[in-house]
Amino acid sequence: MRVGEQVLYKLARRFGEGTLADLLLAPGLPGVEAAGAPPRLLVRVDEFPHYLAWDEPDRFGAREYERFHEIMAGAGAHYLVAVPARVSRSPLSPTGVDSRALTDEEVALLRRLAREGVGMALHGRDHRTRHASSRERSELCGLDRAQTRALLERALAELAQHEIHPEVFVPPFNRFDARQLDWLAERFRVVCGGPESIGTMGLQRTPQWRGQAVYMPSYAPYYGRAGELLRALPRAIERARGGWIPVVLHWGWEADAGWGELERLAELMAAHTVPWRDFLAAVAQARPTPAVATASGMGVQR
């Protein structure tokens, strides 16, 4: 079924102009918002430090990211950034072993972002894939419960040294095993996903309760380049009443495109973006009781 859903998603993205993504937007998250409320954008940015910051520091370094933040902050657009605990050399090589701690420059910028209200998510430990195939890249897939917990604990401990305590998890490469969702939910209020998550989690309404955590995948055209979002968001803002729209940007893509479309997108989004701390506070207050969470299980939530 998941393979079929991956094919459906690719066909819908090619021919459907976001129709499938619109159908997957949840009308609301029980307990978190009132029906009929204006739509709210939860913007996620992947990632800082960039996973290629060691390999290509001039292209993906802190100074380039500052330009992205200045555009978003200047427009008043709230967002959350996915933060890996370490930066790898050649992160697409599963046989690589080199990684480094965050630099003083990177830590200083993250502290500035936190002061200015940017949310922080854990983005794995070092963003190194365990699988060579581009269709299977993941830092988590294949790890058992003890290994998954150990990876998360090491990553969280390293970020804690920089006074970063994430309540949101963004899986590197958007992939984790379905069985790992329960383990991730033990430590995070929100677990994110993306198009690559379809292969393990299937197509899902978003956001949705999964046990006592929120699962929040994002799909194209709300996961993509600023130009795609500029075409899609006006329709979504008009139609998606009473819900949250998960939006995902990659700042490296926008840097390569010259920032112009991002500047227009930030102005469009600003009035509709919500600080992630507000969403997390609402999630904490509305978490299902353990009995309800157990009853919901791991079945597909449509």
Side-chain angles (χ1 to χ4, degrees), residues 72-100:
M72 295 290 283
H78 303 285
Y79 71 95
L80 169 142
V81 62
V83 183
R86 301 182 66 83
V87 177
S88 291
R89 186 196 295 274
S90 303
L92 299 183
S93 170
T95 60
V97 295
D98 293 338
S99 69
R100 64 162 175 80

Side-chain angles (χ1 to χ4, degrees), residues 99-294:
S99 69
R100 64 162 175 80
L102 305 188
T103 66
D104 291 344
E105 183 181 25
E106 290 165 346
V107 171
L109 181 50
L110 286 169
R111 288 177 173 166
R112 173 190 160 193
L113 298 179
R115 290 194 302 270
E116 296 181 12
V118 175
M120 305 277 169
L122 177 65
H123 197 38
R125 183 166 186 261
D126 58 13
H127 209 296
R128 181 178 298 284
T129 181
R130 302 182 63 250
H131 309 278
S133 170
S134 61
R135 297 183 178 182
E136 299 178 353
R137 287 173 183 157
S138 174
E139 189 180 32
L140 295 179
C141 288
L143 299 180
D144 62 24
R145 184 170 189 153
Q147 292 169 327
T148 303
R149 284 177 165 176
L151 183 149
L152 295 175
E153 288 168 1
R154 290 196 300 270
L156 289 169
E158 291 191 64
L159 287 188
Q161 296 175 5
H162 309 306
E163 301 179 355
I164 299 173
H165 305 281
E167 298 180 86
V168 179
F169 183 72
V170 176
F173 309 103
N174 285 312
R175 288 193 183 95
F176 58 90
D177 291 332
R179 63 177 182 164
Q180 292 174 318
L181 182 57
D182 279 348
W183 311 338
L184 295 169
E186 293 172 354
R187 288 165 170 76
F188 302 99
R189 291 181 180 172
V190 178
V191 178
C192 296
E196 296 82 0
S197 307
I198 298 169
T200 58
M201 293 294 296
L203 281 168
Q204 300 289 341
R205 298 293 293 270
T206 183
Q208 61 176 247
W209 287 108
R210 298 299 290 261
Q212 291 189 282
V214 171
Y215 178 49
M216 187 182 290
S218 180
Y219 305 115
Y222 312 119
Y223 180 110
R225 300 177 186 275
E228 294 177 276
L229 287 157
L230 279 169
R231 293 190 295 272
L233 275 178
R235 179 187 67 243
I237 290 169
E238 179 181 351
R239 297 179 181 178
R241 305 296 296 177
W244 305 84
I245 303 176
V247 173
V248 177
L249 291 167
H250 292 73
W251 70 270
W253 298 353
E254 304 311 321
D256 288 343
W259 304 117
E261 290 181 331
L262 178 68
E263 291 174 340
R264 295 194 294 275
L265 177 64
E267 294 290 341
L268 170 67
M269 293 192 302
H272 304 282
T273 60
V274 177
W276 276 72
R277 62 177 178 270
D278 294 354
F279 179 71
L280 289 169
V283 166
Q285 186 173 6
R287 290 174 74 175
T289 64
V292 172
T294 301

Side-chain angles (χ1 to χ4, degrees), residues 14-76:
R14 184 171 181 181
F15 299 111
E17 282 298 315
T19 302
L20 179 60
D22 288 341
L23 292 175
L24 292 170
L25 289 175
L29 191 64
V32 178
E33 72 283 299
R40 283 151 290 181
L41 307 182
L42 286 167
V43 180
R44 164 188 137 202
V45 175
D46 294 351
E47 67 271 336
F48 182 78
H50 196 280
Y51 82 113
L52 294 176
W54 191 345
D55 294 346
E56 301 184 60
D58 292 338
R59 183 181 175 195
F60 295 118
R63 292 184 181 179
E64 283 296 302
Y65 186 82
E66 281 190 278
R67 176 60 181 146
F68 172 86
H69 176 67
E70 288 168 359
I71 292 171
M72 295 290 283

